[in-house]
Amino acid sequence: MADNASQYLRRGGFSVDVAPDGRTALSLAAMNPYDAVVLDLQLPDIDGSEICRRLREGGEPMRIIMATARDAVEDRIAGLNLGADDYLVKPYALGELDARLRALLRRPADLTPVALQVGDLILDTATREATRGERTITLTTKEFAVLEYLMRNGGRVVTREQISAHAWDDNYDPFSNVIDVYIARLRRKIDREHEQPLLSTVRGAGYRLGEPGSVR
């Protein structure tokens, strides 16, 4: 089920890591700033409820969807009281999982808006549409993921490692130039002739979209 779900979500544009047990899940969560977790309660070592409790006690802001065959009302209440954001009863449709994740991600833990703006560049994270002034910008799935992260950190320098953690899964090759390729593509789409350049390379540090304090 985990393999099927991860493949489905990757095709939909998500970057996904899979943990086969609770200890691996906690280890990955400690190393990576995940936006969301689909947490199965019946893991082979540490119960999913305990993992949820530890994540919340550790102050992790990631959204948590609990997935379990237990469909009693008291089970759902217990999971939500532990800090889960949503509850999904197995077996579930992959389309429903995708929809629930997207709904949660439209309500970020830090209450960032659905529409992001840096300068005159606007990105609607619900519709995945980008505009600059009167111009519509068409984005591929991966371009959207990179641009969204840059815009959520508008005015701040982000490293290649930070971009890879949010837009790629754990199979990302740190020696690859794929991030440079996507940055170059975005620069061509965002910064046209006669427009104020927004996307810049900070040598030896990373990339920055907009000037400091430019995000809304």
Side-chain angles (χ1 to χ4, degrees):
M1 182 177 289
D3 288 339
N4 289 338
S6 62
Q7 291 174 21
Y8 185 91
L9 293 173
R10 286 180 182 128
R11 288 195 296 270
F14 287 97
S15 175
V16 183
D17 293 338
V18 178
D21 52 60
R23 295 187 187 280
T24 304
L26 290 171
S27 177
L28 288 172
M31 295 186 294
N32 300 289
Y34 293 110
D35 296 311
V37 174
V38 181
L39 179 60
D40 196 306
L41 291 187
Q42 296 177 314
L43 293 171
D45 51 358
I46 305 175
D47 183 82
S49 297
E50 174 64 15
I51 293 173
C52 182
R53 186 188 66 79
R54 293 189 194 182
L55 291 174
R56 289 303 185 231
E57 285 187 351
E60 296 293 347
M62 59 189 68
R63 299 76 156 173
I64 298 175
I65 297 180
M66 282 190 169
T68 177
R70 307 171 193 167
D71 59 354
V73 172
E74 55 268 25
D75 291 325
R76 296 198 295 271
I77 292 174
L80 294 171
N81 285 338
L82 283 170
D85 298 286
D86 201 355
Y87 207 96
L88 197 58
V89 177
K90 297 188 299 184
Y92 52 79
L94 296 177
E96 181 182 5
L97 172 61
D98 182 286
R100 286 176 180 266
L101 277 172
R102 294 187 190 282
L104 279 181
L105 292 173
R106 288 196 293 270
R107 305 194 309 255
D110 56 1
L111 300 180
T112 51
V114 171
L116 305 174
Q117 182 170 358
V118 175
D120 58 349
L121 177 66
I122 299 174
L123 180 68
D124 189 320
T125 60
T127 63
R128 299 193 167 205
E129 294 179 349
T131 57
R132 184 167 186 190
E134 299 298 321
R135 182 166 60 86
T136 299
I137 300 171
T138 303
L139 301 168
T140 66
T141 298
K142 193 61 72 176
E143 287 170 352
F144 168 83
V146 175
L147 180 59
E148 180 187 24
Y149 183 69
L150 289 169
M151 293 190 73
R152 290 195 185 280
N153 292 276
R156 294 192 290 267
V157 176
V158 296
T159 66
R160 298 172 81 256
E161 290 75 17
Q162 288 172 319
I163 294 173
S164 69
H166 283 265
W168 275 266
D169 56 30
D170 55 1
N171 293 317
Y172 171 75
D173 180 1
F175 299 103
S176 168
N177 70 338
V178 66
I179 290 178
D180 304 307
V181 170
Y182 277 96
I183 290 292
R185 290 181 183 176
L186 286 173
R187 184 177 283 121
R188 287 195 297 270
K189 292 186 175 185
I190 293 169
D191 296 332
R192 293 282 181 86
E193 189 178 2
H194 306 307
E195 292 179 332
Q196 177 67 33
L198 288 177
L199 184 53
S200 59
T201 300
V202 181
R203 294 193 179 279
Y207 306 98
R208 181 173 60 209
L209 187 69
E211 296 302 320
S214 60
V215 69
R216 296 184 190 178

